[in-house]
Amino acid sequence: MSSNSTTQTVLPARTVRGSVRLPGDKSISHRYAMLAGLAKGTSRLANFSTGADPHSSLACMEALGATVVKRDDGVIEVTGVGGTFQQPTRDLDCGNSGSTMRMLAGLVASHPGTYTFVGDASLTKRPMQRIKGPLEQMGARIELIDGHAPMVVHGGPLKAIEFSTPIASAQVKTAVLFAGLGAEGTTTLQEAVRTRDHSEHALRAFGAELERGRDSISIRGGQSLTAIEATVPGDLSSAAFFLCAALLFPDSQLVLDDVGMNPSRSTLLDVLTGMGLKITVLNLEEKHGEMIGTLQVNGAEVLKGAEITGTLPALIIDELPVLAAIAPFTRDGVTIRDAKELRVKESDRIALVVQNLRAMGAEVEEFEDGMHVPGGQTLRGGVVDSADDHRIAMAFAVAALRAEGETTIHGAEAAAISFPEFFTLLNEIAAR
Ligand code: S3P
C-alpha cells in the first residue's frame, strides 16, 4: 500500500468526449529550467509543467543561485546565473525526479564545488552508476552509496570524451551533453537507440551549437547560454492517458490542443494507430525545434493488440504502463519484451502493472523484461495500488473506465508528480 494514501474512486464510463489542453511537457520543462538557470538573462517560460518533478528542478536551480518567479499568469521567469553557479548552502532536493538528479549532475559537474543531491525513497533506490561512469571519465568525482543517492558531485575542470551509451537513456545522454557544455574540447556521444532529443533542441534554443553526425552528436565545450522566451508544448506522455481512454470506446471523440509532437516521442501515435485509434494531426508548427500540433481522435472500430519489442520499448517507455493496463480489452493482447528498464523507474513498473492487473481479475504472464497480457478479457473493479508511482495511478484510472464496477486507486495523489490535473480532466471527459 502506498505510504501516503489518498484514494480516488473511478467509475466505469460509457465513452469519452471533449477537448483537453495539457500542461507543459515534463521533459522539456526540466531542460528549460536547468538551462535557463545557467544562462545569462531572464527566460520566460509559458505553459511550464505543473508537475512536482520539474518544480524540483526549479528549486534546485534556485539553490544554485538562479532566481525563479512564478507569475500570476502562470509564466515562470528564471533569471540565470550567467554561467557560474553559486555553491549551494543546502542539499539539492530532487524529490521523486530521476531527470533532475541525473541531468543536473551533468550540468554542475564542470563547476568547481561540492553538490549533494538527495531524493525521496523511490529516487534513492534508482541506479545512478550510469551517470557516475561517464562523468568521472570526464574528470568529476562522484560519491554514491551502493550505486544510489544520496549523491555527492565534486565538480571541477572536465575534459571532453567520446562516449557510447550502453543503455538507451535520454537522461544519461543529457548528463553527458550538459557536462560537455562546460568541458575542454568536443564531447561526442553515440546512442544505440536514438532517445528523445529535447536536450539537443533546448541547448540550441539557448544558443549552443551542436553537430549531428550520422549516428552521433557532438558539443564543443566553453559555450555560453542566453535566456529565451518559450511556450512549453503540451505533454504527449500525459496525453497518452486520454488517447488510451479514447481507444477503449468505439464512439469516443477527443481533441487535444497544442501537444508536443517531437518525432523522438511520437512513435506512441504510430503504436496507437496500429491498435486502431483514428488520429488526425492539425495545425502542426515548430517552436525552438519542438513540433506542436492538435490531435483529433476517434475510437477504434476494433481494438487490436500490439507487440512492443526490440528498440520500440525505449521510444515509448513512459507509456508502457497504460498500454499494458488497457491490454485486456484488446482483441489480440499486448506483448512487451526488451523493457527491463521498466523495473528501475519510479517503481518496478513490470511487477506493479502485473500485480494491479491481477487485482482486477486479469490473466497476465510476467517476464524479467516485460509481460504478456492476453486480449479478450474483462476487468472487474477492484483495489489497485500506485505504490506512489504517478504513471501507475493514472494507467489504472484509465483501465477502470471500462471495468465492471468501481475501482479504488490507493496513492492517487502520486499523479501530481507529472500531471496534477489528471483526475479532474479524466472526470470531465468521461461520459457516464
Ligand atoms: C526522460 C527520459 C526517460 C523517461 C523519463 C524522462 C527524459 O528516462 O523515462 O520519464 O526527460 O529524458 P531514461 O532516460 O531513464 O530512460
Side-chain angles (χ1 to χ4, degrees), residues 26-27 31 99 102 130 168-171 196 317-318 345:
K26 173 164 92 67
S27 291
R31 287 153 172 89
S99 299
R102 296 192 180 120
R130 52 184 64 190
S169 166
Q171 293 176 3
R196 61 190 74 191
I317 193 79
D318 292 339
K345 291 292 177 187

Side-chain angles (χ1 to χ4, degrees), residues 113 182 307 409:
E307 283 240 354
I409 299 179

